[in-house]
Amino acid sequence: KQEVTQIPAALSVPEGENLVLNCSFTDSAIYNLQWFRQDPGKGLTSLLLIQSSQREQTSGRLNASLDKSSGRSTLYIAASQPGDSATYLCAVPPGANNLFFGTGTRLTVIP
Amino acid sequence: SQTIHQWPATLVQPVGSPLSLECTVEGTSNPNLYWYRQAAGRGLQLLFYSVGIGQISSEVPQNLSASRPQDRQFILSSKKLLLSDSGFYLCAWSDLYPTTDTQYFGPGTRLTVL
C-alpha cells in the first residue's frame, strides 16, 4: 500500500526566505504527483502536477521536482510571502480513480 | 472555465440525524467526481468516486452513501449521523483520465456532529 509522508509537519520562516517542502512515497510506480495548498477551513487549490516522465514543473515562484527512483518530491518556494502561509499537501494516485495524500506541511511566513 | 460548488459551507447536526451534502460542477462534461473527508489532525481520505451517472464506487466501509443523479451533481448522504462523521468534506472533479490529470477541489463543507 502506498504511503505518503511529508516533512516537516510545520515550518515557520521569515518573509523573503526561500524554502523547501519535502514529500516521500513508498511505491515509485506512480503516474504523477500533485501539490496542493489548503488555507484554513477552505478547500484545496491545485498548485502543480508533475507527470511521471517529468523531473520538474514551475509556476511563478513555485518549483516542484520529482525523483521517482528515490520516491521523493520537493516543492521549492522562492522569496516567501505572508500570503504563502497555508498547509501544503502532496498526493499521488495509486490507481485510476483516487489519490493518496500526505498529512501536509503547515507553513507560516512571518512578516 | 470550470467551477465546483459545495453546500452548505458549514453544518451542525445532532447524532442520529440525516445528512445531505451537495456538490455541483460547471463548465465541463462527464467529469469524474470524488468525495473526500478530512478528519481533525488527519490527512484526506477518499470516500467515494464516480465515473458516470449512477456509477458509484466506495473506498471505505461506513454509514455514508453517495449518489450521482445528474452528470455534474454528486450528493453525499447519511440516514443516521455518528459522532465520528464530523470532519471537513471535500468534493473534487477531474477529467476522464485521472491518472494523467489534475483533481480540482471545491470549497468544502465543515460538518460537526454533536
Side-chain angles (χ1 to χ4, degrees):
Chain A
K1 179 182 176 181
Q2 179 74 272
E3 292 184 7
V4 183
T5 306
Q6 289 186 247
I7 296 173
L11 180 65
S12 291
V13 299
E15 182 177 1
E17 266 200 15
N18 303 326
L19 60 102
V20 175
L21 307 180
N22 298 291
C23 172
S24 61
F25 45 94
T26 54
D27 186 348
S28 62
I30 63 172
Y31 295 102
N32 59 52
L33 184 143
Q34 194 167 351
W35 281 94
F36 299 88
R37 69 173 279 169
Q38 184 175 26
D39 294 283
K42 296 187 178 180
L44 299 180
T45 300
S46 177
L47 297 174
L48 291 163
L49 181 139
I50 312 177
Q51 302 292 353
S52 61
S53 58
Q54 298 175 319
R55 296 284 292 181
E56 64 178 56
Q57 277 283 352
T58 299
S59 176
R61 294 182 294 107
L62 305 179
N63 176 278
S65 67
L66 176 63
D67 184 343
K68 280 182 58 177
S69 60
S70 66
R72 293 180 182 178
S73 176
T74 62
L75 180 67
Y76 175 83
I77 302 178
S80 58
Q81 303 171 358
D84 294 331
S85 297
T87 296
Y88 290 81
L89 295 154
C90 66
V92 295
N97 287 302
N98 56 48
L99 295 174
F100 270 142
F101 285 86
T103 50
T105 295
R106 181 174 297 175
L107 172 66
T108 303
V109 180
I110 305 166
Chain B
S1 63
Q2 300 89 354
T3 56
I4 178 169
H5 305 279
Q6 285 185 248
W7 61 89
T10 59
L11 190 59
V12 180
Q13 291 285 92
V15 170
S17 63
L19 173 73
S20 180
L21 303 182
E22 189 165 343
C23 170
T24 58
V25 181
E26 297 176 356
T28 186
S29 297
N30 304 313
N32 286 347
L33 296 173
Y34 311 81
W35 277 111
Y36 291 87
R37 175 171 60 200
Q38 187 174 38
R42 297 185 179 181
L44 280 165
Q45 179 186 38
L46 178 69
L47 302 175
F48 300 96
Y49 67 89
S50 172
V51 298
I53 295 175
Q55 300 179 61
I56 310 293
S57 296
S58 175
E59 287 296 296
V60 294
Q62 58 204 307
N63 73 320
L64 299 171
S65 62
S67 62
R68 185 169 177 174
Q70 300 179 35
D71 180 45
R72 289 169 286 180
Q73 184 184 31
F74 206 21
I75 297 173
L76 184 68
S77 304
S78 174
K79 293 182 179 178
K80 290 185 178 181
L81 283 169
L82 306 173
L83 285 174
S84 58
D85 292 325
S86 292
F88 191 52
Y89 289 81
L90 287 160
C91 180
W93 71 272
S94 69
D95 285 331
L96 186 59
Y97 301 104
T99 53
T100 60
D101 209 343
T102 301
Q103 290 195 14
Y104 300 92
F105 286 78
T109 295
R110 184 162 299 283
L111 172 66
T112 303
V113 182
L114 302 176

